[in-house]
Amino acid sequence: MRIPSLTHATTLYILAGQVAHAAIELNLDDDESIKQAAGRAAFDMLQYYTGNETGDVPGNLPDPYYWWECGAMFDSLINYWYYTSDTTYNSLVTQGLLHQAGTSSDFMPTNQSKTLGNDDQAFWGMAAMTAAETGFPDPPSPSPGWLALAQAVFNTQKPRWDETSCGGGLRWQIFPFNVGYNYKNSISNGCYFNLAARLALYSGNQTYADEAGKVWDWMWSVGLIKHDTYHIVDGAHNTDNCTGMDGNTWTYNSGVFLLGTAAMYNYTNGSEVWRERTDRLIEAGKKFFINDVMYEGCEASGKCNVDQRSFKAYYTRWLAATAELVPHTHDNIITEFRASAIAAVKTCTAGSTGTACGLKWTEGVNDGSLGVGEQMAVMEIIQSNLVDKAPGWRSEVKGTGTSKGDANAGLTAPGDEERLVGDVTTTADRVGAGILTALVLIGVLGGSAVLCISE
Ligand SMILES: *[C@@H]1O[C@H](CO)[C@@H](O)[C@H](O)[C@H]1NC(C)=O
Ligand SMILES: *[C@@H]1O[C@H](CO)[C@@H](O)[C@H](O)[C@H]1NC(C)=O
Ligand SMILES: *[C@@H]1O[C@H](CO)[C@@H](O)[C@H](O)[C@H]1NC(C)=O
Ligand SMILES: *[C@@H]1O[C@H](CO)[C@@H](O)[C@H](O)[C@H]1NC(C)=O
Ligand SMILES: *[C@@H]1O[C@H](CO)[C@@H](O)[C@H](O)[C@H]1NC(C)=O
Ligand SMILES: *[C@@H]1O[C@H](CO)[C@@H](O)[C@H](O)[C@H]1NC(C)=O
């Protein structure tokens, strides 16, 4: 028996009076089956998104999802189009990306700017970069092209490189009053590295490559990349000059650096240095697989938060691109994709549609954890099996990149400090300004209080 509204990927079985849903059907040797299965996961993911409804804000997911995750979801949907050629979600993606690019076209929209981390902004920037690389239709003029939006994120982050502690690095947060301003984390530095490397590959401009090299060298010198294992730990605090570390390892930190090294390997026409880094990161990533099925460390304790439940989506996405850019890694990665996709779809038996996916692919059944992150990760692992059929990344260097760029994008936008002052001096924000000033004061006083006590 079939549910009419569902695609043929879902079959409802009636077993001894009990209703049980089959998992999403997936035959990895049949491209149509892969596309159908990815489409099913996409459909269930979009149930959470209301930003395209009249009166709602494009590019936002409802609570409990943070702003950045919607940018990450759009990146997944651009990939969905790239791998399957299904254009169903393209206009929704374009609408959301352009709305959240904000008035300064650099993914620092006023509604978010005061709580914005470098990683949050960069997840949107990387989505724009993917759009340029895959040839996702550029928005109509006068909107800036996808490439220009990615360049704007790069250009606004570049001056935030901070040498007042730890010998360099990007801080997690942009503004001093945010918790996390004193944290230099791998994801913020990794996103900047990833974007720089991809801009180098796309444009052939050595300035981006130099920046990518600088970030890698810093990560290495400060020890956020472990010299023996190439595991990438979460971050370090500039309050102790980055000597103590949060030693957690996450799939997305490994992945965000992996694609950066892969892009640099390809950009340098296969240099030994970047080959070694790419290979060592692939090897280090083996810790995230059991029998080639991907898992996140937090799954063991059952305590993955909303953000963490989406990380496998990014690791998968960046592994797939690595398989494209670094041919000798391909077979190894595909083996992992096949095993992981087969395991992942077995979790897609829940929710009102009967095909909502779970978190723990290694368990082979739905574990009750449902949401945007779970859907996104399963969608990416399914569709990445089409990587060999994809049209291939475009670039200006190859003459196939057509996205409109602007090397100076973001440079004429207000700087971070001006932006803050500008934001809080508009009439509507007077109240906010008061709160802000108070917060900064508390920060300063709080800091001195700690100093007094410790003296
Ligand atoms: C919003 O997008 C979803 C998913 O594509 C679609 O089902 C829905 O009809 C769209 N809503 C509007 C108002 O366009
Ligand atoms: C900011 O919030 C307002 C009010 O919810 C909304 O109308 C506007 O579209 C939002 N802008 C962005 C860029 O999200
Ligand atoms: C902080 O660390 C950097 C690089 O690791 C080092 O060059 C610098 O001397 C250190 N500063 C202090 C005050 O120890
Ligand atoms: C890679 O090779 C191409 C074609 O030979 C050349 O134009 C380009 O400059 C090389 N890139 C680098 C970074 O050496
Ligand atoms: C760079 O990537 C392309 C695919 O986009 C691939 O054909 C080429 O062999 C790669 N270059 C190197 C040096 O591996
Ligand atoms: C290369 O990129 C840098 C940094 O954005 C920019 O200043 C420079 O103009 C670019 N060079 C070319 C030839 O586009």
Side-chain angles (χ1 to χ4, degrees):
M1 167 188 168
R2 305 250 164 176
I3 307 173
S5 64
L6 299 181
T7 69
H8 80 257
T10 311
T11 315
L12 183 74
Y13 291 105
I14 310 227
L15 301 164
Q18 258 191 322
V19 179
H21 292 285
I24 293 178
E25 283 170 17
L26 177 62
N27 175 359
L28 289 173
D29 299 318
D30 172 3
D31 293 355
E32 274 316 304
S33 170
I34 300 175
K35 289 180 186 178
Q36 288 284 344
R40 191 65 229 171
F43 179 89
D44 283 333
M45 177 170 77
L46 267 300
Q47 301 308 301
Y48 293 90
Y49 183 72
T50 55
N52 61 336
E53 306 290 334
T54 312
D56 212 321
V57 180
N60 267 333
L61 283 161
D63 275 350
Y65 301 102
Y66 289 112
W67 177 72
W68 73 274
E69 192 163 339
C70 198
M73 183 180 87
F74 290 153
D75 200 339
S76 277
L77 285 169
I78 294 165
N79 258 340
Y80 171 72
W81 162 80
Y82 175 62
Y83 289 126
T84 68
S85 317
D86 179 357
T87 58
T88 304
Y89 305 113
N90 286 12
S91 56
L92 166 160
V93 168
T94 299
Q95 179 198 37
L97 281 171
L98 291 183
H99 193 83
Q100 295 301 331
T103 46
S104 48
S105 297
D106 55 5
F107 295 115
M108 295 185 70
T110 27
N111 288 354
Q112 306 295 339
S113 63
K114 296 184 197 77
T115 58
L116 194 69
N118 281 305
D119 50 353
D120 302 306
Q121 182 194 17
F123 263 90
W124 288 87
M126 290 187 292
M129 193 67 225
T130 306
E133 289 155 341
T134 57
F136 193 70
D138 247 339
S141 186
S143 287
W146 303 127
L147 178 61
L149 290 170
Q151 287 169 312
V153 172
F154 174 88
N155 286 339
T156 52
Q157 298 211 336
K158 190 165 183 266
R160 293 183 195 138
W161 190 258
D162 169 62
E163 293 189 342
T164 62
S165 64
C166 313
L170 277 187
R171 295 165 183 265
W172 177 20
Q173 293 297 317
I174 298 167
F175 298 113
F177 51 81
N178 282 326
V179 174
Y181 186 67
N182 286 328
Y183 193 49
K184 290 189 169 172
N185 58 351
S186 294
I187 193 61
S188 293
N189 286 282
C191 289
Y192 181 59
F193 170 69
N194 179 298
L195 198 53
R198 290 162 68 181
L199 282 168
L201 181 63
Y202 189 93
S203 68
N205 184 332
Q206 180 65 28
T207 306
Y208 300 121
D210 291 343
E211 242 358 66
K214 180 178 87 178
V215 183
W216 179 275
D217 290 347
W218 177 75
M219 287 286 296
W220 184 262
S221 72
V222 83
L224 284 167
I225 303 168
K226 295 287 160 201
H227 294 194
D228 48 350
T229 58
Y230 276 63
H231 291 148
I232 295 176
V233 297
D234 192 73
H237 298 272
N238 57 0
T239 41
D240 63 5
N241 202 30
C242 292
T243 48
M245 309 237 161
D246 172 337
N248 283 306
T249 53
W250 301 102
T251 55
Y252 81 153
N253 279 327
S254 196
V256 81
F257 279 95
L258 175 64
L259 177 52
T261 60
M264 288 304 293
Y265 170 85
N266 201 289
Y267 169 75
T268 55
N269 295 322
S271 79
E272 271 312 310
V273 173
W274 290 106
R275 180 190 175 104
E276 155 113 8
R277 291 168 181 173
T278 306
D279 290 352
R280 292 295 304 269
L281 283 177
I282 294 260
E283 192 54 37
K286 291 290 173 197
K287 74 175 292 190
F288 301 118
F289 294 87
I290 299 174
N291 296 331
D292 289 325
V293 176
M294 192 188 291
Y295 77 101
E296 194 69 54
C298 59
E299 289 174 21
S301 67
K303 291 199 178 117
C304 300
N305 69 24
V306 171
D307 288 352
Q308 291 156 4
R309 287 183 236 153
S310 69
F311 290 174
K312 294 201 298 278
Y314 321 130
Y315 191 35
T316 301
R317 176 190 302 168
W318 295 326
L319 274 167
T322 299
E324 224 182 298
L325 298 176
V326 188
H328 72 267
T329 65
H330 171 275
D331 293 357
N332 194 331
I333 292 173
I334 294 295
T335 303
E336 293 169 343
F337 281 176
R338 290 181 73 92
S340 295
I342 294 291
V345 294
K346 290 191 180 142
T347 72
C348 303
T349 57
S352 58
T353 58
T355 49
C357 306
L359 178 66
K360 299 182 187 175
W361 304 346
T362 50
E363 299 207 338
V365 290
N366 190 285
D367 61 330
S369 180
L370 308 180
V372 173
E374 288 87 337
Q375 286 307 131
M376 200 191 326
V378 174
M379 183 181 80
E380 289 271 17
I381 200 73
I382 298 170
Q383 71 200 19
S384 294
N385 281 280
L386 291 168
V387 67
D388 296 339
K389 310 288 168 54
W393 269 16
R394 299 171 180 226
S395 74
E396 284 173 351
V397 174
K398 288 194 271 190
T400 51
T402 52
S403 185
K404 210 166 56 170
D406 173 6
N408 297 320
L411 293 180
T412 52
D416 294 340
E417 274 150 45
E418 289 166 72
R419 188 180 317 248
L420 204 51
V421 173
D423 274 6
V424 299
T425 47
T426 59
T427 321
D429 258 346
R430 286 273 152 72
V431 181
I435 293 172
L436 243 162
T437 311
L439 281 176
V440 172
L441 281 175
I442 290 167
V444 170
L445 294 174
S448 350
V450 172
L451 281 181
C452 292
I453 292 163
S454 61
E455 264 163 17

